[in-house]
Amino acid sequence: MRVLGIDPGTRKLGYGVVEGERELKGVAWGVLTASPQIPVEERLRVLYNGLSDVILRYRPQEVAIEDPFVGKNVRSAFAVGRAQTVAILAVVNQGLGIHYYSPALVKQQVTGYGRSDKRQVQEMVKLQLELSEYPQPSDAADALAIAICHLQQNYLNRWVNDRGIA
C-alpha cells in the first residue's frame, strides 16, 4: 500500500510518501513552501496546487494527515487548520479518503513515546525507512512519520481483526 502523509502548515506543508506493510520504503518526501510575503489566500492556493501535483505524481492509495495541535497559540492553530482544510480539499478532489492522527499518536507509533522531540522522530523515521541520512527538513520527516503511523495502524487493525480480538 502507498500512503501520503501530510504535515499541514500555511508557510510550509510537509509531505511524505511511504509504501509497504511490514517492510516500509520511503518513496518521496519534501516541503511545499509559500512565501509569507503574499496574502494567506494566495499561499493556500500555492499549497493546494503543489499538493495536487504531489498526489497526481505519486498516486497514493490512502492519505493520512496530522490533526492540528491546539495549544496556547490559538492563532497558530487557526492557520494550521486553514492549511489542513486546503490539504483535505486537494485529497478529496482526487477521490481519496483521509485518515487523521494526533501529533501524540504519531510520535507514539513511530518512536514509542508520545512526547518525542523532532530529532527523535527524524531518527526513528530514518531507521524505519532505512535511509542513509535524516529526512530533511523536519516538516518532511513529520509527514513521513504520519504515513508510517497510518501503515502501522492499518497493520495492527488487520492483525486484531484476523484474530477476532475485540
Side-chain angles (χ1 to χ4, degrees), residues 32-54:
L32 304 171
T33 58
S35 171
Q37 275 71 38
I38 61 176
V40 68
E41 299 83 8
E42 192 64 23
R43 287 197 310 257
L44 294 173
R45 184 181 65 76
V46 166
L47 296 173
Y48 173 85
N49 289 338
L51 188 56
S52 295
D53 290 344
V54 167

Side-chain angles (χ1 to χ4, degrees), residues 32-85:
L32 304 171
T33 58
S35 171
Q37 275 71 38
I38 61 176
V40 68
E41 299 83 8
E42 192 64 23
R43 287 197 310 257
L44 294 173
R45 184 181 65 76
V46 166
L47 296 173
Y48 173 85
N49 289 338
L51 188 56
S52 295
D53 290 344
V54 167
I55 294 167
L56 289 171
R57 182 174 191 183
Y58 295 106
R59 301 276 183 206
Q61 294 162 290
E62 296 188 1
V63 178
I65 189 166
E66 188 173 74
D67 268 332
F69 172 74
V70 181
K72 293 180 181 175
N73 191 342
V74 174
R75 186 176 181 147
S76 175
F78 279 131
V80 172
R82 288 177 174 164
Q84 184 189 44
T85 301

Side-chain angles (χ1 to χ4, degrees), residues 5-6 13 29 31 35 44 48 60-62 80 87 111 117 132 152:
I6 301 171
L13 185 145
W29 57 90
V31 172
S35 171
L44 294 173
Y48 173 85
Q61 294 162 290
E62 296 188 1
V80 172
T111 69
D117 63 27
S132 59
Q152 290 176 346

Side-chain angles (χ1 to χ4, degrees), residues 112-129:
Y113 178 59
R115 292 184 155 186
S116 297
D117 63 27
K118 291 212 175 268
R119 189 59 159 185
Q120 290 168 316
V121 171
Q122 284 178 304
E123 176 70 32
M124 292 307 294
V125 167
K126 176 186 170 197
L127 290 171
Q128 290 181 41
L129 298 179

Side-chain angles (χ1 to χ4, degrees), residues 3-24:
V3 174
L4 168 63
I6 301 171
D7 182 30
T10 57
R11 293 184 187 167
K12 293 191 249 179
L13 185 145
Y15 69 89
V17 181
V18 178
E19 65 183 14
E21 288 193 17
R22 296 280 295 156
E23 304 278 327
L24 302 179

